[in-house]
Amino acid sequence: MRALRLLEWKSEPRLVEVPDPEPGPGQVVIRIGGAGACHSDLHLMHEFGDGVVPWAPPFTLGHENAGWVHALGAGVGHLEVGQPVAVYGPWGCGVCARCLMGLETYCEDPASAPVAGGGGGLGLDGGMAEYMLVPSSRLLLALPDGLDPLHAAPLTDAALTPYHAIRRSWPKLTPGSHAVVIGVGGLGHMAVQILRATTAARIVAVDARPEALTLATEYGADAVVQAGAAAAEEIRAATGGRGADVVLDLVGSDETLALGAVVARQMGDLTVVGIAGGTLPVSFFSVPYEVSIQTTYWGSRPELAEVLDLGARGLLVPRVTTVGLEGAVDAYRSLAEGKVDGRIVVVPGS
């Protein structure tokens, strides 16, 4: 079969022929119906090197996947061939306290995981291929009626990641509150929808691109702000001068972190999701009183089930552009150049 593989650090991926995977005991092979192209893949291609993460190329890209069960290994009894499924992307040991809670992102025994700190498309073969081997059936969730693999794929990361960040701040997103979304890209356009579907907060979206702000408005933002020197003042005005109860930084640069700290309301949350590598100096007087600053990584299996339910009900609708495997490299170039609205989904065989 054909697969888009990263063969070495700091290189472009290549489309190559590899053997079709075969499932062992407890394993499942799925036929890929969609694999999302994530901005974090660009970090893998151009910035990572030996020692940055505890795994290395070669591997097939694509950590945001959905498709249909193709083959079952011995002992897998709750799935059927042809059944549509989504892949839970982070793969932990499956038995530590965090994994038993479904938080395999925070596995406490990564040495016993299929790949330490990673998953399919992150150290092991992912979904940018015709077929994908999933090492345990627990990592597959059946798609609810009304949701197809093409639109489910981006929900497994582009929606799950902001959903986890927003869910932990639900107590602060009450009527009369304000949430600021910085960066309306693949994750940000989902964050706006998640806030609209699950909270009563007024939503302010921030981005440098006019087309991204238009997208945010289409998906339910109450106000949009052009990134730049006047952004903090405009956000303050949009929040009635009080600041944001919750700031979601989907970029994570020095500039966006500084903006988030300036516009956060006292006792609010500033959650850093983006991995642009920025830093935020924190001292007693550098942020408003009792502002909680945290990072999050992906989300849990139970949360993915909730996200898929929202998708099936039409409350989360990713903006999708599809390409075949042959167009995946060019798609990543467009992503790097900031020319993508929503999410590019690779559909093998299309």
Side-chain angles (χ1 to χ4, degrees):
M1 69 175 184
R2 298 176 305 162
L4 186 74
R5 292 175 65 80
L6 186 66
L7 301 180
E8 58 185 358
W9 293 129
K10 298 182 180 180
S11 69
E12 293 289 317
R14 291 176 53 194
L15 190 59
V16 299
E17 289 286 334
V18 297
D20 289 0
E22 296 184 5
Q27 299 179 337
V28 181
V29 171
I30 67 168
R31 177 168 62 88
I32 291 293
C38 181
H39 200 277
S40 61
D41 292 334
L42 298 175
H43 294 286
L44 296 181
M45 298 174 196
H46 305 303
E47 298 173 20
F48 281 20
D50 291 338
V52 176
V53 290
W55 35 266
F59 55 85
T60 301
L61 290 170
H63 58 266
E64 193 177 75
N65 306 298
W68 300 269
V69 173
H70 177 71
L72 300 171
V76 179
H78 64 285
L79 296 171
E80 297 179 356
V81 172
Q83 184 175 2
V85 292
V87 182
Y88 178 63
W91 297 347
C93 71
V95 296
C96 72
R98 291 288 184 259
C99 285
L100 290 175
M101 293 170 61
L103 277 167
E104 302 205 24
T105 43
Y106 305 142
C107 175
E108 296 179 308
D109 186 14
S112 297
V115 57
L122 299 168
L124 293 177
D125 290 341
M128 291 197 179
E130 296 168 71
Y131 301 98
M132 176 182 178
L133 177 66
V134 180
S136 172
S137 60
R138 79 173 188 279
L139 302 168
L140 295 173
L141 283 76
L143 294 189
D145 292 341
L147 187 60
D148 59 74
L150 172 62
H151 293 90
L155 298 183
T156 64
D157 180 7
L160 177 58
T161 297
Y163 183 80
H164 175 76
I166 291 166
R167 198 181 194 282
R168 70 188 307 280
S169 292
W170 274 353
K172 298 183 180 181
L173 294 168
T174 56
S177 67
H178 290 85
V180 171
V181 176
I182 303 176
V184 191
L187 275 66
H189 88 291
M190 300 304 306
V192 170
Q193 295 181 66
I194 293 163
L195 287 163
R196 177 61 61 211
T198 68
T199 80
R202 291 182 174 89
I203 305 163
V204 181
V206 184
D207 203 287
R209 300 170 299 139
E211 59 272 21
L213 298 180
T214 299
L215 185 64
T217 301
E218 291 177 10
Y219 280 124
D222 297 285
V224 295
V225 171
Q226 183 88 29
E233 182 179 349
E234 292 181 25
I235 293 170
R236 282 280 173 184
T239 61
R242 297 181 303 179
D245 299 270
V246 175
V247 179
L248 300 166
D249 185 351
L250 284 305
V251 181
S253 67
D254 286 343
E255 293 78 12
T256 58
L257 290 170
L259 176 64
V262 167
V263 303
R265 186 183 182 186
Q266 292 179 5
M267 302 178 69
D269 283 349
L270 169 55
T271 301
V272 185
V273 180
I275 56 173
T279 58
L280 177 66
V282 175
S283 63
F284 191 88
F285 295 111
S286 68
V287 295
Y289 293 127
E290 293 195 39
V291 164
S292 297
I293 301 170
Q294 54 272 317
T295 59
T296 61
Y297 175 54
W298 226 326
S300 70
R301 286 198 316 273
E303 288 169 339
L304 178 55
E306 295 171 2
V307 166
L308 295 175
D309 179 75
L310 290 171
R313 294 164 58 194
L315 297 173
L316 298 183
V317 183
R319 177 68 60 89
V320 168
T321 301
T322 61
V323 299
L325 280 171
E326 296 83 356
V329 173
D330 287 339
Y332 277 119
R333 293 192 182 111
S334 296
L335 186 61
E337 294 167 1
K339 297 179 179 179
V340 177
D341 288 334
R343 206 58 152 181
I344 293 178
V345 177
V346 176
V347 182
S350 65

